[in-house]
Amino acid sequence: MRIDRVLANNPGPFTGPGTNTWILDDGSESTVVIDPGPVDSRHATAIMEVVGDRRVEAILVTHTHSDHAPLANPLARDLGVPAVGHAPGPGFEPEIRLLDGATFDVGELALGVVHTPGHSNDHLCFRAGNVLFSGDHIIGGSSVMVDDMGPYLESLRKLKGTGLERFHPGHGEEMTDPDAVIEWYLAHRLQRHEEIRIAIAAGASTIGDVVDEVYEEVDPSLHPLAARSVQAHVTLLIAEGRITSVGDSLVAPPDPP
Ligand SMILES: [Zn+2]
């Protein structure tokens, strides 16, 4: 098995150094491309240079966000191979749809499919032996944006203690201690969850109030993004019965003195 990375030229506040496009082979001539990234002919050329004489079997996407999937269909069409993912999304139409627990054969290699909703509901991770292509479920060097917190926490727990030895993420560097990384992610989320509940108990009654309170140290240009995370936490806090929504106001029982 050989794994190569081609970094897309899309650095930014949401993408870090850019999107990691991974090229995985089975140790012979069969490869798949995972997360080809945005439509960018120079990146497509760079991917094909790394593929070289090997054969591409399919183009896989972890999820349909614009920094991961839009090049998938054009590249698949050029190569005459299927574009593969969990579900259609903006700028992406899969010819093969993969569900949780499926395997996808890459030559001699059976790639395991793990549905990991949370960052987005269509998110898949791909497992090759004890290596996991983690997309934006888990990235190098920071936490991720979460759209749906309950499923996200479940998707983290689902990977824990499963014998993983390495993450190859959608952004940032490879990570060699997956269970420790998952622990950190869970601890970080649960800490935020508690901070948000406490802020609401102390009187923050709107998403904006909570963002100002809890994300005070974060650059204001990122507050709209933080608001999405807060919304995801708030939705889960309501589902857990720990806060309520009264009209337009969030309400939590005050902490005992
Ligand atoms: Zn991404």
Side-chain angles (χ1 to χ4, degrees), residues 17-84:
T19 301
N20 291 328
T21 297
W22 297 103
I23 297 160
L24 165 71
D25 81 17
D26 68 337
S28 63
E29 297 297 302
S30 293
T31 72
V32 284
V33 175
I34 299 173
D35 284 349
V39 173
D40 171 350
S41 60
R42 285 187 12 215
H43 186 55
T45 303
I47 291 170
M48 293 317 296
E49 274 170 11
V50 173
V51 168
D53 293 336
R54 296 176 293 169
R55 192 172 58 250
V56 176
E57 306 277 359
I59 312 296
L60 271 53
V61 305
T62 56
H63 63 300
T64 61
H65 285 170
S66 61
D67 54 328
H68 293 259
L71 183 58
N73 285 119
L75 189 57
R77 206 160 27 239
D78 282 355
L79 295 169
V81 300
V84 180

Side-chain angles (χ1 to χ4, degrees), residues 14-15 19 63 65 67-68 119 135-136 139 170-171:
F14 314 135
T15 56
T19 301
H63 63 300
H65 285 170
D67 54 328
H68 293 259
H119 172 73
D136 283 5
I139 64 173
H171 305 278

